[in-house]
Amino acid sequence: MSRRNKITIVGAGNVGATAAHWAVQKHLGDVVLVDIKEGMPQGKALDLAEASPVMGFDCTLTGSNSYDATAGSDVVVITAGVPRRKDPKTGKFTSRDELVEINRKIVGSVTREVVKRSPDAVLICVANPLDAMCHVMYHESGFPKERVIGMAGVLDTARYKFFISEALGVSVDDIHGMVLGGHGDTMVPLPHHTSIGGIPLPELLPKEKIDAIIERTRKGGGEIVGLLGYSGYYAPAASVIAMVESIVRDRKRVLPAACMLQGEYGYKDLFIGVPAVLGKGGVEKIIEMKLGDAEKAMLEVSAEAVRSVVELLPYDKSSN
Ligand code: APR
């Protein structure tokens, strides 16, 4: 009898639970939800499992406060961490960079627990600051770089495509494009590599409109925090599940993902968002696209922003 895929999601909060929901709805595999809050991952797993007769999925759902149930996972998604919030007193938002100190400890300990039990898994990081937390996962796991990936580019690209579809009044299905770079205000949307039904974006929208969409994409996370008072989770969860699906089904989709670069795009020992082929082995290939001078300069600004956070981490730069 063939074995079903096993997907562990650590952090059963907004993103984690929503990702579990989509994973089982897409029949991607059995899901284990882990969280430190007692009863919470068990309750969410049971609630979702009770939806299975209605929604018609056969995947099992397990909730746990320990890692033993995660043993032998094919993919582990780490959402555990503290998200950005609006301080009710000052009205100021936690910046991604302020999260580094808290989340590096959480992501580090979660990674150590997970890899003991799933030494062959592909790890996907969702915790912020994303690119820096990928470094934490990479160093703490000791895994090869192909099996440590960060989710940011799919989300940033989804927002970018959605804003374009709204502006043009066309289906999101026909918009192709990518957002590269670090996850943050310095991300690099590529309008000259964006097309609508094969037609280049700059032929369909004036520069001011494209610039406004790029700006809104860069601030997309903050826009949701401003409305809700906490981070978004439907689009982040959908984005990580697109990556999980490509991996467990070995679809080899080309998705923008935070990958450890070793010379690609001229960077070394740095996680940053680039187009990657995702399959059973994790990052099966990093695609090096030709960038114009302005795009290269934007990527450099983004890389520098990532580096400045990574430098706060207590790791040397060497590879696993
Ligand atoms: N081990 C397991 N779970 C943990 C740990 C830990 N050490 N620390 C925190 N958690 C859990 C929390 O109990 C919470 O349920 O992680 C969950 C995070 O969920 P939310 O607070 O709802 O955050 P969410 O919106 O899902 O964001 C997830 O995405 O934007 C990033 O940095 C953000 O790390 C955050 C992640």
Side-chain angles (χ1 to χ4, degrees), residues 10-16 34-37 40 67 79-85 99 103 106 109-110 126-129 231-233:
V10 185
N14 283 343
V15 177
V34 178
D35 202 284
I36 38 166
K37 287 187 189 143
M40 185 265 236
Y67 287 84
T79 78
V82 177
R84 291 198 290 169
R85 289 192 198 280
L99 293 178
N103 281 353
I106 296 174
S109 73
V110 168
V126 178
N128 277 322
S231 301
Y233 49 97

Side-chain angles (χ1 to χ4, degrees), residues 44-300:
K44 290 196 179 182
L46 178 61
D47 189 15
L48 202 43
E50 287 169 355
S52 63
V54 184
M55 302 306 291
F57 56 82
D58 294 312
C59 314
T60 64
L61 285 135
T62 308
S64 181
N65 302 118
S66 102
Y67 287 84
D68 290 341
T70 70
S73 294
D74 299 287
V75 179
V76 179
V77 174
I78 300 183
T79 78
V82 177
R84 291 198 290 169
R85 289 192 198 280
K86 186 155 102 179
D87 186 319
K89 284 186 201 135
T90 62
K92 265 187 70 183
F93 300 124
T94 330
S95 76
R96 285 197 179 95
D97 297 1
E98 283 164 351
L99 293 178
V100 73
E101 206 35 42
I102 313 166
N103 281 353
R104 85 172 170 83
K105 291 185 182 135
I106 296 174
V107 172
S109 73
V110 168
T111 303
R112 289 191 293 276
E113 293 297 332
V114 152
V115 302
K116 267 189 247 167
R117 294 161 179 89
S118 300
D120 300 319
V122 175
L123 306 179
I124 306 181
C125 187
V126 178
N128 277 322
L130 191 270
D131 307 273
M133 290 307 112
C134 291
H135 279 260
V136 173
M137 269 177 42
Y138 175 67
H139 287 283
E140 296 291 344
S141 66
F143 277 11
K145 63 184 169 61
E146 292 74 20
R147 289 198 282 123
V148 180
I149 320 172
M151 188 292 291
V154 178
L155 170 61
D156 297 330
T157 301
R159 288 179 173 144
Y160 174 64
K161 287 182 180 177
F162 172 70
F163 299 147
I164 293 170
S165 80
E166 254 196 340
L168 289 170
V170 301
S171 167
V172 288
D173 267 2
D174 296 317
I175 300 170
H176 295 280
M178 248 186 223
V179 177
L180 305 186
H183 186 46
D185 301 344
T186 61
M187 68 180 75
V188 185
L190 300 173
H192 293 285
H193 292 84
T194 305
S195 64
I196 294 90
I199 305 155
L201 176 64
E203 284 184 27
L204 299 181
L205 272 183
K207 188 178 176 311
E208 319 79 76
K209 286 223 164 119
I210 296 176
D211 287 346
I213 285 172
I214 288 175
E215 193 54 18
R216 191 172 175 200
T217 303
R218 288 201 168 120
K219 304 216 156 85
E223 182 176 359
I224 302 279
V225 177
L227 291 165
L228 295 176
Y230 48 89
S231 301
Y233 49 97
Y234 292 112
S239 302
V240 76
I241 288 304
M243 296 171 74
V244 172
E245 182 184 29
S246 191
I247 293 165
V248 298
R249 297 209 166 128
D250 200 26
R251 288 192 63 194
K252 304 189 193 298
R253 290 194 62 197
V254 178
L255 295 173
C259 300
M260 168 60 102
L261 300 188
Q262 288 299 357
E264 298 90 348
Y265 291 91
Y267 296 101
K268 208 165 174 299
D269 299 316
L270 195 71
F271 272 90
I272 200 157
V274 289
V277 177
L278 300 187
K280 275 274 181 209
V283 176
E284 299 195 345
K285 190 177 180 197
I286 290 173
I287 298 178
E288 284 199 74
M289 57 199 282
K290 278 205 185 106
L291 298 177
D293 289 343
E295 293 165 336
K296 276 189 202 153
M298 277 195 282
L299 191 62
E300 177 52 27

